[in-house]
Every structure is written in structure tokens, then in C-alpha cells.
Amino acid sequence: MLVNDLLLKNCPVPGAYHVLGARRSPVASETGLTTPSLGGTRDRPANRTATRVPREAPPAASRPRSSLKRICISCSRLGWTRVIQALPVASAPAGGRRELPAFPPQRPRVDWPLARHRGIAARSGLTGWAHRLGSPAGGAGPAVSHLAARPQLSRACPCHPRGCTDRSAPLRTCARGGWTRPAPPRASRARDTSARDPAAAGANHGPPGAQQPAHRAPRSRRRSWTRALAVAFLPLIFSGFAPRPRQKLGLPGASAQPRPAPSSLFNWSHLTPLELEDRAAGLEPQSPGGRKPCFTLGGHKFQVFGGSIHYFRVPRAYWGDRLRKLKACGFNTVTTYVPWNLHEPERGKFDFSGNLDMEAFVLLAAEMGLWVILRPGPYICSEIDLGGLPSWLLQDPKMVLRTTYSGFVKAVDKYFDHLISRVVPLQVAWKDRLKYRRWRGQGSGEACCGGRTVPLSAGHGGPAQWEPDGWRRPYRRGGPIIAVQVENEYGSFAEDRGYMPYLQKALLERGIVELLVTSDDAENLLKGHIKGVLATINMNSFQESDFKLLSYVQSNKPIMVMEFWVGWFDTWGSEHKVKNPKDVEETVTKFIASEISFNVYMFHGGTNFGFMNGATDFGIHRGVVTSYDYDAVLTESGDYTEKYFKLRRLFGSVSAIPLPPLPELTPKAEYPSVKPSLYLPLWDVLQYLNEPVMSNTPVNMENLPINGGNGQSYGFVLYETSICSGGSLRADVHDTAQVFLNEINIGHLHDHAKTLTVPTMTRCQLLRILVENQGRVNFSWKIQDQRKGLTGSVTINNTPLQGFAIYSLEMTMSFFERLRSATWRPVPKACLGPAFYLGTLKVDSSPKDTFLRLRTWNSGFAFINGHNLGRYSIMGPQGTLYLPGAWLHPEDNEIILFEKRKCGSYIQTTDEPVL
């Protein structure tokens, strides 16, 4: 009779320990050793081999014909665990009858793959994370191999579904002090103290038939039977602790509980960009047979708790504050878009500096312990001008955006050549799959990716290190990017079936090795999904029908919600939109209980500084307001909200380790009101502008021959021509226009008011049309027709006007530098028409955040020390402009308003926003 070793180990059923016993089956054994059946390759150590013990070989006819299969006694699961080691068989005495070794037999030392000492190896509920329960520091750890030595688990280990009470020894593998098993039984302890004594160790590890030391009391066979009887009742005991199966509703984990079970506590402290050692695999969807699909990161089970922050909408000085608050809330991932129109304002001229330093933002997130999901477009929507596409694309009259039209594809290729070369080193697993080839040139290089050679711009990519083999690796440990999105919500557009596969190929060829995903709402999911790319879904609330549709598109894949909308954006002239924090909490709770990865859009919205805002057009063109507060988890200025505290409590309840402490709030202040003392009418400014463009017919903003042939992207355009008679004026303007005779305002034009009456005149006068771009549509097919300014002929009584002087008013930093030399006038009591108003905002020696309150002003833009704070308007709903303290100087600050219609009295500040 052969007796197999017993082992305490975690069964695949979460949270349950099971004892592995032996079952005999008659199988021929030529070696004479009993070897457990593998039952597959799951968790089999690479160095696990059977140990042959020298003995007298019996005749072939009398060799034992038996072997043992591993079984889980508690749940009768065959073959789920790895082979530990076969036990030697005692040699037969002279009488021909072999004596059974004392139960249990002497356990030989095993060379474990994770900790080279004896003890218990248990598998955590975190997939692939094995723990070695050891002994006090410096000790070898007692060998616990019998039921009597089973740990009494009563305390939760931060990285294990069950914990232990004894603090005498640390967990060897994860070095988390204070979480260990209780001391083993007295007999085992006595035996293991000899492990530190070489002489005693030699006695303890002899063959089974050798005489045992005096301090080791022999165990009776009767005692073994009582132990076996206890084992037989384990199924009845453990069945009460087994988790209840979930009902099948067509999606993984659809039967969500109000709160996640206590046994499902998360601990990803070892899964951060600074802690993860194994970077051979990034974020990957796994579909294990018979179990729920899940994501793994570096081989460990992982669930994305993501929040969106757009670096280009937040002052760079506040990036760290917003990311720390994201981490303190309990999130593990930050998601961000990459705006093409801001990074390449002119063809071939790229800007990744200052507030647009995408690489610095990604690396800062890594330092904060956050992973990154990058959404590089080229189209991003994001309520930004033209959905993030550069306006110079519209110079081509045949251009078809978001298709495989040759002009568009050529521009995307050049943009991706530059952008993706910056992204490649920031991937989590890049150094294990890609290598950078040495190239002649100081601080430069080439990325050899998928057969393509992509130039690396000088100076980017962090500190370079030259390897002995000549490969250049800027980031030896890899970066924090775990997934890259292919375009954005293409299912709602879906005009070219070849477009998405083209983008997928473009990313792969340039070196993207991380998980690729698409993002669509449920209605357009089928049209936006492409083969070989994980489909994710956008939603407003937890909808099982949407998840069923996603499962139909891709079966047996983990679910990720790329955008869970916790609020919404506002447009001028509409009401401020809010969402109930309780609804947000309930939805996120269901995501967690259903093991669904998610991304909160937005965690922190920020501000549409300058002219970057987009627009909607559902019959009426409405620009997106300057504030991108979005009713998000953090306010526009980075303050906490009720949603933040609800989510933090929720994440804290499912976290095995304490959340980071709350960062301090950014201080706010209210400063003395400012009364502008000087003003400059627009007509006096024209002499400080660049030379006007002279054209026989009007030219739209994008096709103006300025900025190196790239046209004008944002701001205002002034058209002047001479007329000698009045009548019915007609013009196609985008988006709004003020019409003047000399300096007198005679009316307004817009999409739904294209005509006005010009009064009769006795002599020729100067007709002036000032057109404002209020933001290009960022969504729908209408992005194809977003050329701004005058887009057709201008007629009076159906007679086309000719001979235009066209002035570009982009209002850049250089423009305001030129205005310093202008002759400013004192502000009159009554002032009409477009003009610039200058004042001084006085603050203390430590500037703080504040909000401009422009109660008596009409519509225009505000500039502080040259920074464009964005548009203000009496239309509402927004009533204040966010002014970051990081943009203020101690003491005096120059503030300029460009008011289009009528001046106000004071410029006030407040420490509370009005949205």
C-alpha cells in the first residue's frame, strides 16, 4: 500500500481551502515509484520531478502496479492542482512483506519555485499570485504537511482572500510583515528546530525506515484513522462557505449584488507602474474555461477602475494635484485623449510643450501609481473644436474626414509617425517586445517597429541608455500605458468600412503592442467594432440589455465600459446639466459586483481655455461653454464633490488596503474688483495687425493664405469692402457676424438670419463684417462642413460685392505683445462696439485660484497675463470664468477683456463658481 502526501491548498472555488488526498488506480509503473496524475498542466512548476529513492528492485513480475491521482477531497475536483512530489516507498524486509511507514511518512524537502523553504504554498484569489507562508525572519520555516498542522485562518491578509493570526513570521513571497500562519503543532515544531542544526537535519531527512530522533514521538496508526475520518467530513463543513453560483443572464456576473462580497477585496498594491516586475504581458483579456472572463495585467487578475482627465484642459501646475485626488479616491487608471488639432496646429509643426506635454503627463501618472489608457484619435470628439481634427484639413474642397480619402490618410500617417514614436516607449510591455536601434545623431534614434522605421525626435523619450548590443532603450522598466483606443465612437459615423482596419494597422505597424480597443454606445456597437480589437461600450447607466449586445458582438470576453457618463457638458443658451450622485454610486457598485472594468467620464473635466471648445448642431448651432466642469467627480477647479466622497467610500469598502489620504484642497480667494481704466476700439487695433489679405471675393477662415499656408483656426475675421448704395444684404456666415457701416453697428447675421437691410446712403461707405468662430461641430457627419467666416459671396440686392480686405484676429500671445505699443484711450462713460478693455488685478504675494464674475458685461473673451481664459456671455448658463492661481503673478496682473458689444462697469472675482 502506498500513501500519498496531503497538502492544504486553495481550490478554484474562491475563498475555500481544500485538502488534497490520494486515490489509487491500477496503472502500470515501470519505475516502481508512485507518481500523482497531472490532470493537465495548470500550475505545474518547471522544476517539479519525482525523486527516486534507492531500494532493492523486486522481480519484474512482483513490481507494484499502482499509481495515485490527485483529487480535491472536499469537492472531488480531479486534476486541478500541480504535482508536488511523489513519496518514496519503503523497501521490503527479508520476509517479503513491506512495512507501511508511520502515517504520515517523513516529508522530503521540496524546492519550491517561489520560496526555497518548507511550509505551505497557497494560491491567492488574485490570479497567478502565489503566497508562501513562512516562519520568523532568518528561519527555514516548519514543514506543515498534515491536517493537524492546518492554519487557523481568521484574519484577512491584504493580498490573500484569507489571512492568519500569528504575527511571528512574515509572508515570504510578498514580504508583507505580520500576516502569517499560527505556529505548527508541537511535534512538527520540534522536528523543524533541527532544520537549523546540521546534525539534527541529517537525522530528520533520512530514508523512511531510518530511526527517528528521540525528540520526535512516533504517531500511531489509530491517530491517522481519526485524522482520515475528519477529512471525510470536510465537504459538509466547506459546502456552507462556498460562494453561491450566479444566475446566467447572458453576461458575466449580471446578477449584481448591492455591495461586493467581503471576500472579493481588491489589492493592487503590487500592480502599479513602479512595482510591476513582470512586464512580458500588459493588459490582456482572458477567457479561462468554465470561469468568468477577466482582464489580467502582468499575469495577475485585474479590474480597471478608470477616471478621465484631459491634460490639455488642466494647467500643468495642477496635473499632480488632480492625479493624486484620482488615486486617493480609489481609482487605478487614468484615461486621456490626445488632441491632434492642438499638437499639430500647422502642417509638420508639432507642439508637445508646456500644457501639451503628453509624455510628461503620462509619466507623472506612473509616478502616482496610475496606469494609463490612451485615446490618440485621430478623431476624439471630446466636445473640442472639430472633434480634435486640425482645421487645415478643410482647405481641401474634396476632403472627407474620417475616411480612407487619400488626403486624410496622408495627413494621419504623418501625424502618427510623430505621435506614436512618442507613445511607444510609454507602453507597459514595450521593452520586452520592441528594441530601439542606434542611429547616428546626438539625442536621436529610430524605432524599428513591425518592419517600419519611425524617427525619434531629439530629446524626447526620457534619459536614453545605450545597451552593449547597440539597442537604445529610453525606459528600461516600460511605461504605464496598458491600452490604446482605435479612433473614437466610429459606429455613429460608419461611412467607410476600410477606415477602422486602416487605423488598426497603422498603430500596429508603428509599434503599439498593448491592448487595442474600440469605443461605441450600444446603438452603434455593431457598426464600430472591428475584428481583432476588443469592443468597449459607453453608457449612461447600468443596462443589462447593452451588455447582452456586447456579448453578442464578442462572446467570452471581459466587459469594459470605456465611458460611464457621470454628468454632461453644457452649451450656451441651455440649462446647466447635473446627475444624481446616488445614481452614480449605484451604477459603479453594480460594475464592481459584476466584475466589469469601467472608466468614469469625467473624473475631472477642466476648462476649455482659449478657443478650443467644440459645438453641437441639431438644427441650431450652439457652442460648448468654456467650463468643462461636466458635473464630474471633481469640480472644474479641482474641489471635491458628493460624488467623490460616495465613490471613495465605495472603493474603500472593497479595498484590502487603506486608500491614500485625501490631498488638501486648492485654496480659493476673492480679490478686489477691477475697473478697466483704458480701452482700445477694434478699429484702432487694425494697424497693429499683420497686413490684410486682399481678395476679390471673400475667403473663408481656413483658406486664408496665412500661417505658412495653413489658414486660420480660431478667433475672428474682419471683412471690409466699400459700398455706395443700400439694400438687402445677404451673406453666408459661420457662425455669427456683426455688420457695420464705418463704425456704426447696423445688425447681426447668423445661420438662421442671413439677410439684413442696409440703409440708403448719399456717399460710399465702408462695409465691415466681423465674423466669430464659436466652435466647430465635434460630432456627427456635419464635421465635413465646418469652414468658418464668410463661405460664399456677399450680395446687396443680389449683386455680388468685390474687393475685400480681410483681417485675421487670432488673438495669440504675440498679438497682445504688439498691443502694448498701441495708444490706449481712457474708458468713456458709454462705449459701444467691439473693443479691448485694460485693467489691473491686484493679488497678494501668494496667488490663489479665483473666478471672474462679469455681471455687467455682454459677450467676449478674457485674457490674464496673456492667457486666454475663454469665452463669457450673458446667454448663460455659465456665469464665471475659472482663473487658475498658477497663472497669476504676485501683486499686479494685467487683465484684458475683448467685449464685442457693450462695455460693463467692474470686473469682479469670487471664490465660488457660477455654472
Side-chain angles (χ1 to χ4, degrees):
M1 177 180 179
L2 300 175
V3 181
N4 189 36
D5 188 18
L6 296 177
L7 177 68
L8 290 174
K9 187 174 176 62
N10 247 2
C11 179
V13 179
Y17 275 88
H18 296 282
V19 179
L20 305 183
R23 174 177 296 175
R24 184 183 301 136
S25 61
V27 180
S29 174
E30 298 181 0
T31 62
L33 294 177
T34 300
T35 304
S37 173
L38 295 179
T41 59
R42 175 178 169 82
D43 295 334
R44 181 172 60 188
N47 62 345
R48 188 67 62 199
T49 58
T51 304
R52 183 184 298 273
V53 178
R55 64 182 177 87
E56 181 181 356
S62 63
R63 291 179 184 173
R65 302 175 61 83
S66 63
S67 68
L68 297 178
K69 288 184 177 180
R70 282 286 183 198
I71 72 168
C72 178
I73 291 180
S74 298
C75 60
S76 300
R77 293 182 181 273
L78 290 173
W80 64 270
T81 189
R82 60 186 178 185
V83 176
I84 302 304
Q85 189 166 5
L87 293 180
V89 180
S91 58
R97 181 179 180 182
R98 279 185 294 187
E99 296 292 336
L100 290 174
F103 181 79
Q106 172 76 22
R107 180 176 181 173
R109 185 179 294 274
V110 178
D111 182 18
W112 296 85
L114 294 179
R116 297 173 180 265
H117 60 85
R118 292 173 294 165
I120 298 175
R123 179 164 294 279
S124 166
L126 300 174
T127 303
W129 187 251
H131 289 266
R132 176 73 174 165
L133 305 184
S135 58
V144 180
S145 59
H146 312 301
L147 186 62
R150 180 179 181 184
Q152 301 300 317
L153 304 173
S154 61
R155 186 169 181 175
C157 170
C159 44
H160 197 279
R162 302 281 183 175
C164 304
T165 57
D166 188 2
R167 288 179 170 270
S168 61
L171 283 169
R172 289 283 184 168
T173 301
C174 61
R176 296 189 178 280
W179 303 103
T180 182
R181 56 178 171 78
R186 185 171 301 174
S188 297
R189 183 179 300 173
R191 178 185 61 183
D192 283 284
T193 55
S194 65
R196 302 180 181 89
D197 186 354
N204 281 345
H205 296 286
Q211 182 179 2
Q212 300 299 321
H215 62 265
R216 180 175 181 181
R219 299 181 183 178
S220 66
R221 194 174 299 178
R222 179 177 179 182
R223 184 178 176 185
S224 301
W225 281 109
T226 59
R227 185 177 297 107
L229 185 63
V231 171
F233 283 94
L234 286 177
L236 298 177
I237 299 174
F238 287 136
S239 62
F241 295 97
R244 300 293 183 265
R246 289 174 176 165
Q247 299 177 355
K248 295 182 179 180
L249 296 178
L251 67 151
S255 181
Q257 301 296 326
R259 287 281 179 180
S263 61
S264 61
L265 297 180
F266 300 108
N267 179 14
W268 294 307
S269 58
H270 60 290
L271 293 179
T272 65
L274 299 181
E275 298 294 334
L276 184 64
E277 294 293 340
D278 182 9
R279 290 176 173 264
L283 186 69
E284 295 181 342
Q286 300 291 341
S287 304
R291 290 186 294 164
K292 182 181 300 183
C294 64
F295 289 104
T296 60
L297 180 57
H300 307 282
K301 188 175 180 180
F302 187 72
Q303 190 173 350
V304 175
F305 288 8
S308 289
I309 301 176
H310 300 157
Y311 59 93
F312 50 91
R313 283 187 164 117
V314 182
R316 180 167 182 162
Y318 294 156
W319 286 353
D321 174 77
R322 307 314 192 242
L323 291 173
R324 278 190 292 270
K325 289 172 179 174
L326 180 72
K327 183 71 174 178
C329 191
F331 291 87
N332 57 35
T333 303
V334 61
T335 304
T336 189
Y337 282 123
V338 181
W340 182 7
N341 56 351
L342 301 183
H343 285 299
E344 192 180 5
E346 300 179 17
R347 290 184 183 86
K349 293 185 178 181
F350 298 96
D351 184 2
F352 285 84
S353 62
N355 225 61
L356 297 176
D357 194 340
M358 178 267 299
E359 294 152 291
F361 178 81
V362 170
L363 292 175
L364 182 59
E367 293 179 10
M368 300 290 178
L370 294 165
W371 298 105
V372 176
I373 296 178
L374 199 69
R375 310 173 77 182
Y379 167 85
I380 64 173
C381 186
S382 187
E383 289 71 61
I384 193 174
D385 188 269
L386 203 61
L389 300 176
S391 63
W392 45 260
L393 291 170
L394 299 175
Q395 289 182 333
D396 183 352
K398 298 181 180 179
M399 174 61 66
V400 185
L401 304 174
R402 303 181 72 188
T403 67
T404 53
Y405 173 72
S406 59
F408 184 71
V409 167
K410 183 179 180 181
V412 171
D413 282 340
K414 291 182 178 180
Y415 171 60
F416 271 11
D417 283 346
H418 186 92
L419 172 66
I420 304 304
S421 68
R422 294 175 177 270
V423 173
V424 164
L426 300 174
Q427 298 177 103
V428 62
W430 86 276
K431 78 185 185 93
D432 292 309
R433 308 184 193 180
L434 297 173
K435 291 184 176 179
Y436 276 90
R437 191 169 59 190
R438 178 183 270 175
W439 186 66
R440 293 179 181 178
Q442 185 177 2
S444 302
E446 290 180 346
C448 185
C449 313
R452 293 178 61 94
T453 299
V454 182
L456 292 173
S457 60
H460 94 271
Q465 297 194 17
W466 297 94
E467 302 294 332
D469 58 359
W471 300 96
R472 183 175 186 262
R473 301 178 180 179
Y475 302 99
R476 295 181 59 86
R477 291 180 53 84
I481 296 178
I482 57 175
V484 176
Q485 183 174 300
V486 183
E487 237 256 357
N488 187 62
E489 298 177 320
Y490 193 70
S492 60
F493 194 81
E495 294 293 330
D496 189 336
R497 298 183 62 180
Y499 174 65
M500 290 292 282
Y502 149 71
L503 288 179
Q504 176 189 8
K505 182 179 179 181
L507 293 171
L508 294 175
E509 286 184 344
R510 289 166 175 81
I512 296 299
V513 297
E514 301 304 331
L515 178 68
L516 293 180
V517 300
T518 59
S519 173
D520 291 282
D521 59 13
E523 181 180 355
N524 300 292
L525 190 63
L526 291 174
K527 294 184 290 184
H529 173 57
I530 55 176
K531 184 178 180 180
V533 176
L534 182 74
T536 67
I537 194 167
N538 303 337
M539 58 178 48
N540 186 50
S541 61
F542 191 97
Q543 298 291 336
E544 291 186 4
S545 58
D546 294 350
F547 293 128
K548 289 180 180 179
L549 180 61
L550 182 61
S551 298
Y552 173 79
V553 172
Q554 52 184 27
S555 60
N556 205 27
K557 294 288 185 183
I559 294 177
M560 180 185 293
V561 178
M562 183 56 69
E563 290 186 12
F564 165 51
W565 302 310
V566 299
W568 204 245
F569 63 91
D570 295 329
T571 55
W572 292 111
S574 64
E575 295 182 357
H576 178 55
K577 300 175 181 63
V578 296
K579 189 170 185 177
N580 191 329
K582 185 177 180 180
D583 294 341
V584 173
E585 180 189 25
E586 290 178 353
T587 300
V588 174
T589 300
K590 292 178 181 179
F591 288 155
I592 298 174
S594 303
E595 299 184 23
I596 295 175
S597 292
F598 61 90
N599 173 57
V600 168
Y601 191 97
M602 299 286 299
F603 173 78
H604 172 57
T607 307
N608 290 317
F609 292 117
F611 301 106
M612 75 168 67
N613 66 275
T616 64
D617 192 343
F618 300 103
I620 299 177
H621 183 280
R622 294 184 182 274
V624 176
V625 300
T626 301
S627 172
Y628 201 64
D629 179 86
Y630 210 87
D631 193 33
V633 181
L634 283 184
T635 67
E636 178 185 12
S637 57
D639 291 338
Y640 300 118
T641 65
E642 184 180 354
K643 293 177 184 176
Y644 185 96
F645 292 117
K646 284 184 177 293
L647 291 181
R648 178 176 161 85
R649 283 193 296 268
L650 172 61
F651 295 153
S653 69
V654 298
S655 177
I657 58 176
L659 297 180
L662 285 174
E664 294 183 0
L665 289 174
T666 306
K668 307 294 188 298
E670 181 176 333
Y671 296 111
S673 299
V674 177
K675 183 174 179 60
S677 57
L678 300 173
Y679 95 115
L680 193 63
L682 175 62
W683 323 121
D684 294 352
V685 172
L686 300 182
Q687 59 181 313
Y688 300 100
L689 300 177
N690 294 326
E691 289 296 323
V693 174
M694 307 304 297
S695 175
N696 193 42
T697 58
V699 180
N700 61 285
M701 181 180 289
E702 294 79 9
N703 286 98
L704 290 176
I706 60 175
N707 297 324
N710 291 278
Q712 180 180 339
S713 297
Y714 316 107
F716 295 78
V717 180
L718 177 65
Y719 298 85
E720 290 186 349
T721 188
S722 179
I723 59 174
C724 298
S725 63
S728 177
L729 173 70
R730 179 180 177 85
D732 290 326
V733 300
H734 298 281
D735 295 303
T736 64
Q738 294 172 269
V739 182
F740 302 87
L741 276 180
N742 296 326
E743 298 180 4
I744 300 175
N745 191 336
I746 61 173
H748 297 81
L749 298 174
H750 52 80
D751 287 349
H752 298 279
K754 298 183 179 182
T755 62
L756 63 81
T757 300
V758 177
T760 58
M761 59 192 72
T762 58
R763 58 185 177 85
C764 294
Q765 299 188 46
L766 193 61
L767 177 69
R768 288 168 164 167
I769 304 176
L770 178 64
V771 183
E772 178 187 4
N773 171 8
Q774 294 187 331
R776 296 179 179 86
V777 170
N778 52 267
F779 186 78
S780 80
W781 180 256
K782 292 185 178 181
I783 63 172
Q784 309 292 349
D785 188 21
Q786 288 300 301
R787 294 167 180 87
K788 300 299 182 178
L790 293 178
T791 57
S793 61
V794 179
T795 63
I796 292 183
N797 298 329
N798 296 324
T799 301
L801 301 181
Q802 296 180 343
F804 287 87
I806 307 172
Y807 294 88
S808 171
L809 289 93
E810 295 180 288
M811 301 189 186
T812 59
M813 295 279 277
S814 60
F815 166 74
F816 287 102
E817 289 293 331
R818 291 196 297 271
L819 288 188
R820 296 182 185 279
S821 59
T823 303
W824 292 74
R825 307 180 190 177
V827 178
K829 292 183 179 180
C831 44
L832 299 175
F836 294 89
Y837 298 84
L838 175 64
T840 301
L841 176 64
K842 295 184 177 295
V843 303
D844 52 28
S845 59
S846 179
K848 300 176 180 61
D849 288 1
T850 189
F851 300 89
L852 294 187
R853 184 74 160 135
L854 304 166
R855 295 176 183 268
T856 58
W857 300 80
N858 195 289
S859 179
F861 288 82
F863 303 84
I864 187 78
N865 297 327
H867 294 280
N868 190 339
L869 299 183
R871 179 183 285 106
Y872 64 89
S873 175
I874 60 172
M875 295 177 63
Q878 182 177 354
T880 56
L881 289 178
Y882 173 52
L883 173 53
W887 290 357
L888 292 173
H889 304 318
E891 306 301 337
D892 295 346
N893 294 267
E894 179 188 75
I895 183 168
I896 296 177
L897 297 184
F898 175 67
E899 169 60 44
K900 296 194 304 179
R901 295 170 183 164
K902 179 182 178 182
C903 68
S905 54
Y906 288 92
I907 302 172
Q908 299 174 313
T909 64
T910 177
D911 56 2
E912 292 287 342
V914 177
L915 300 175

